[in-house]
């Protein structure tokens, strides 16, 4: 949400304005099928790295002791955040942040799997991410149509790499769900015109 106050808060990409502006952010957590689970409001646009503890605390209240994988983008690239998630008993799946070196062609092979009712196919390589001070993680490199590579990090070694890539790229299900609900069911229309006071600071 665009912020119009006078306090010096951080900036974020505001989709409704298609611009980077001073803004407040809500963190929407969804299930792998795109259905919403919960939302956490960030005070004065805190970064994802600073909000993740509050987010996983809320997720724990909903899921209890069930093992969960948190899928997030490069905004969460932080070794301390990675260690915190693993220490809290969560698995993680995220993009590897650049700079990164491309893997050799000989490491890639085409793999496919049936997921969510349709066949998914990627040309990918499976390896390891090791960097001083960072937790050791699984690293997948997925070849894109333009020949470049997208690398993905994960703490799980027991899941098929095709499924991991599919889950990472499937983050857009959340945005698509909200787009559909907004267009078909007017999800973003005000329910009523009641007001409540906000913190003036």
């Amino acid at each position: 949400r665009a912020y119009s106050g006078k306090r010096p808060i951080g900036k974020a990409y505001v989709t409704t304005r298609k611009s980077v502006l001073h803004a407040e952010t809500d963190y929407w957590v969804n299930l792998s099928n795109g259905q919403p689970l919960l939302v956490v409001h960030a005070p004065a646009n805190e970064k994802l790295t600073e909000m993740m503890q509050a987010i996983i605390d809320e997720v724990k209240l909903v899921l209890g002791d069930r093992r969960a994988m948190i899928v997030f983008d490069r905004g969460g690239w932080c070794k301390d955040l990675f260690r915190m998630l693993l220490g809290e008993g969560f698995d993680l799946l995220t993009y590897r942040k650049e700079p990164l070196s491309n893997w050799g062609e000989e490491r890639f092979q085409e793999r496919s799997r049936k997921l969510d009712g349709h066949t998914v196919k990627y040309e990918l390589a499976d390896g390891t991410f090791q960097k001083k001070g960072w937790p050791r993680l699984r690293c997948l490199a997925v070849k894109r149509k333009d020949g470049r590579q997208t690398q993905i990090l994960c703490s799980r070694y027991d899941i098929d790499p095709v499924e991991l890539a599919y889950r990472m790229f499937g983050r857009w299900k959340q945005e698509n769900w909200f787009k559909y609900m907004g267009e078909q069911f007017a999800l973003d229309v005000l329910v009523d015109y009641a007001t409540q006071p906000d913190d003036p600071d």
Side-chain angles (χ1 to χ4, degrees):
R1 290 185 305 280
Y3 173 74
S4 57
K6 295 180 181 176
R7 298 282 178 170
I9 71 169
K11 292 185 175 183
Y13 182 77
V14 181
T15 52
T16 54
R17 303 260 186 102
K18 295 184 174 148
S19 182
V20 176
L21 304 166
H22 292 289
E24 296 177 276
T25 305
D26 290 332
Y27 288 91
W28 296 81
V29 182
N30 64 288
L31 303 175
S32 61
N33 64 4
Q35 295 294 310
L37 180 67
L38 56 90
V39 63
V40 177
H41 177 68
N45 203 36
E46 295 292 335
K47 298 176 184 174
L48 177 60
T49 52
E50 297 163 354
M51 284 298 300
M52 189 65 86
Q53 183 69 59
I55 291 168
I56 65 168
D57 288 345
E58 291 291 328
V59 170
K60 280 182 178 178
L61 290 175
V62 176
L63 297 185
D65 294 331
R66 288 169 56 192
R67 185 175 184 178
M69 179 182 290
I70 302 291
V71 183
F72 54 95
D73 64 17
R74 293 173 185 88
W77 183 260
C78 173
K79 60 186 174 185
D80 293 333
L81 184 144
F82 287 13
R83 290 193 180 283
M84 182 272 290
L85 285 173
L86 297 171
E88 292 276 0
F90 284 82
D91 292 306
L92 66 92
L93 179 64
T94 189
Y95 292 114
R96 182 175 177 180
K97 197 169 184 179
E98 295 180 343
L100 49 87
S101 57
N102 285 346
W103 292 5
E105 293 289 325
E106 71 283 355
R107 297 183 67 174
F108 288 84
Q109 65 181 49
E110 190 173 280
R111 301 179 68 161
S112 64
R113 186 169 179 188
K114 192 163 187 176
L115 295 164
D116 294 340
H118 60 278
T119 301
V120 179
K121 189 184 296 182
Y122 298 110
E123 195 171 348
L124 55 78
D126 200 342
T128 304
F129 170 80
Q130 287 181 291
K131 191 175 177 181
K132 187 176 181 181
W134 292 70
R136 184 175 185 270
L137 297 167
R138 185 180 189 181
C139 185
L140 304 174
V142 182
K143 194 178 291 185
R144 298 176 355 194
K145 290 180 181 178
D146 63 5
R148 295 170 64 193
Q149 298 175 16
T150 298
Q151 293 186 12
I152 299 166
L153 299 184
C154 184
S155 57
R156 295 282 296 271
Y157 290 84
D158 59 327
I159 299 177
D160 186 282
V162 174
E163 181 175 349
L164 290 173
Y166 177 74
R167 296 298 173 207
M168 186 72 241
F169 301 141
R171 284 179 55 256
W172 291 102
K173 286 182 180 179
Q174 182 185 52
E175 286 86 347
N176 292 338
W177 187 89
F178 280 107
K179 183 173 185 281
Y180 171 79
M181 293 299 287
E183 290 174 353
Q184 302 297 322
F185 296 97
L187 183 69
D188 54 350
V189 174
L190 288 174
V191 175
D192 59 45
Y193 290 93
T195 61
Q196 63 184 43
D198 197 1
D199 182 345
D201 292 326

